[in-house]
Amino acid sequence: MDREALADFLARRRRELQPDDVGLPAGVRRRTPGLRREEVALLATMSADYYTRLEQRRGPQPSTQLLTSLARALRLSADERDYLFRVAGHNPPDRAGASDHVAPALLRVLGRLSDTPALIINELAETLVQNEPARALFGDASARVGWDRSEIYRWFVHPEIERSRYPEHDRRRQSRAQVASLRMALGSMGKQSRAGRLVDELRRRSAEFVELWDEHEVARRFADHKVLIHPEIGPIELDCQVLFTEDQSQALLVLTAEPHTEDEEKLKLLSVLGTQTFTRE
């Protein structure tokens, strides 16, 4: 671990960012340029004291999970992320296949979306980051681990939970779309990738998946219009717009309702309710 290089790199990247670059309010006039240390810590979900110690060359070696969070908070490119890992004494993540490193360009757009559900996913339909309205609509993705991070996996292995979000008449179409999307990811990532391992796991665990997989459909999954069912608010008709990275490995999904409709009011209510759960009488 090169403490001096790590501290200098973090401090310089922090000073290059402005609050509106990361979706934070500017607040009162700042004495120095860039983000404050506590703002970086907030974005990386770590303690401000620990982050401060890293910049002061006296913190303990950060974990790979923490470095991933810091790379995201500081909007690092893939090359900068790899450098961060190396000076912190870790091997950088393998770039082949689905990655947890979020494209900075998508993060910039996401940071400006606060009033409608938006999330960034990778080729295996793993949510990498989501805003508060998306967390209220889909649940907190950060609580999921292992294969449960993939919506494709949850769709076939935990259907009683995952499919309740869609109207019953639309679930067969969604099943086909999930499989077609994974087939496309496999073609891009290769049989020895995480996509290949996910296919093997689903073939072992779901007869429905095997049936659909053998039909060899290939397509990206995203539909322009869909109905999602929230457990408290009920069905919401939404339009889904998608922005891909240049290599198509990540996508920003933005869900909006038609203006001046009941569905738009439901989205507004969703933002108020957040992720809290209500007890029905």
Side-chain angles (χ1 to χ4, degrees):
M1 177 177 171
D2 187 335
R3 294 181 184 277
E4 184 174 354
L6 175 63
D8 185 61
F9 182 68
L10 290 175
R12 287 179 181 274
R13 290 298 171 267
R14 173 174 62 82
R15 293 175 189 136
E16 290 174 355
L17 288 172
Q18 298 302 317
D20 60 356
D21 293 331
V22 296
L24 293 176
V28 297
R29 185 174 180 179
R30 293 167 182 253
R31 297 178 181 177
T32 57
L35 296 179
R36 299 186 177 99
R37 287 170 175 169
E38 57 267 26
E39 289 172 331
V40 174
L42 175 66
L43 292 168
T45 61
M46 60 187 295
S47 76
D49 178 67
Y50 182 77
Y51 179 78
T52 298
R53 283 186 287 156
L54 288 178
E55 282 202 9
Q56 293 176 343
R57 303 173 175 82
R58 59 188 181 89
Q61 183 182 36
S63 67
T64 56
Q65 292 84 356
L66 191 54
L67 291 172
T68 297
S69 296
L70 278 172
R72 186 174 300 169
L74 294 170
R75 304 303 194 256
L76 301 184
S77 68
D79 289 339
E80 291 170 331
R81 185 274 315 268
D82 290 355
Y83 175 79
L84 175 67
F85 270 71
R86 290 190 180 99
V87 295
H90 294 285
N91 292 324
D94 186 359
R95 293 201 194 186
S99 171
D100 282 348
H101 179 67
V102 184
L106 293 188
L107 275 176
R108 285 196 294 272
V109 178
L110 180 67
R112 287 162 172 75
L113 299 170
S114 59
D115 60 348
T116 196
L119 61 156
I120 297 173
I121 67 172
N122 63 17
E123 290 178 288
L124 300 185
E126 295 171 319
T127 298
L128 304 178
V129 62
Q130 57 188 164
N131 64 9
E132 287 303 318
R135 189 172 287 109
L137 181 61
F138 295 107
D140 186 0
S142 65
R144 302 182 183 120
V145 297
W147 284 127
D148 277 340
R149 295 180 60 209
S150 168
E151 182 187 351
I152 305 170
Y153 178 86
R154 298 194 309 273
W155 184 266
F156 290 101
V157 177
H158 307 302
E160 69 286 352
I161 300 174
E162 195 66 22
R163 300 189 189 193
S164 63
R165 189 177 296 124
Y166 289 84
E168 188 172 355
H169 66 81
D170 193 38
R171 294 173 188 174
R172 181 65 176 177
R173 182 181 67 86
Q174 291 293 334
S175 293
R176 302 182 74 92
Q178 297 277 11
V179 174
S181 176
L182 180 54
R183 175 76 73 175
M184 191 157 191
L186 182 68
S188 172
M189 298 165 64
K191 289 185 177 180
Q192 304 306 314
S193 66
R194 290 185 65 233
R197 295 195 294 275
L198 178 55
V199 170
D200 292 340
E201 183 69 12
L202 288 174
R203 288 184 67 89
R204 184 178 66 85
R205 301 197 61 170
S206 171
E208 180 192 10
F209 177 82
V210 173
E211 174 195 344
L212 294 174
W213 185 256
D214 289 344
E215 293 185 16
H216 220 101
E217 292 185 26
V218 185
R220 294 199 182 277
R221 176 175 169 263
F222 312 109
D224 291 332
H225 189 80
K226 62 179 67 182
V227 176
L228 294 175
I229 302 174
H230 187 272
E232 300 294 337
I233 298 176
I236 311 175
E237 289 195 40
L238 298 168
D239 291 309
C240 180
Q241 302 297 322
V242 185
L243 176 65
F244 288 99
T245 53
E246 185 175 356
D247 63 2
Q248 306 275 296
S249 64
Q250 294 179 4
L252 169 64
L253 279 59
V254 182
L255 296 108
T256 59
E258 186 176 344
H260 314 300
T261 63
E262 182 182 358
D263 299 295
E264 184 181 48
E265 293 302 316
K266 288 181 178 180
L267 272 189
K268 292 178 181 178
L269 177 59
L270 187 67
S271 296
V272 174
L273 297 181
T275 56
Q276 58 186 308
T277 301
F278 294 87
T279 302
R280 294 183 177 87
E281 296 180 358

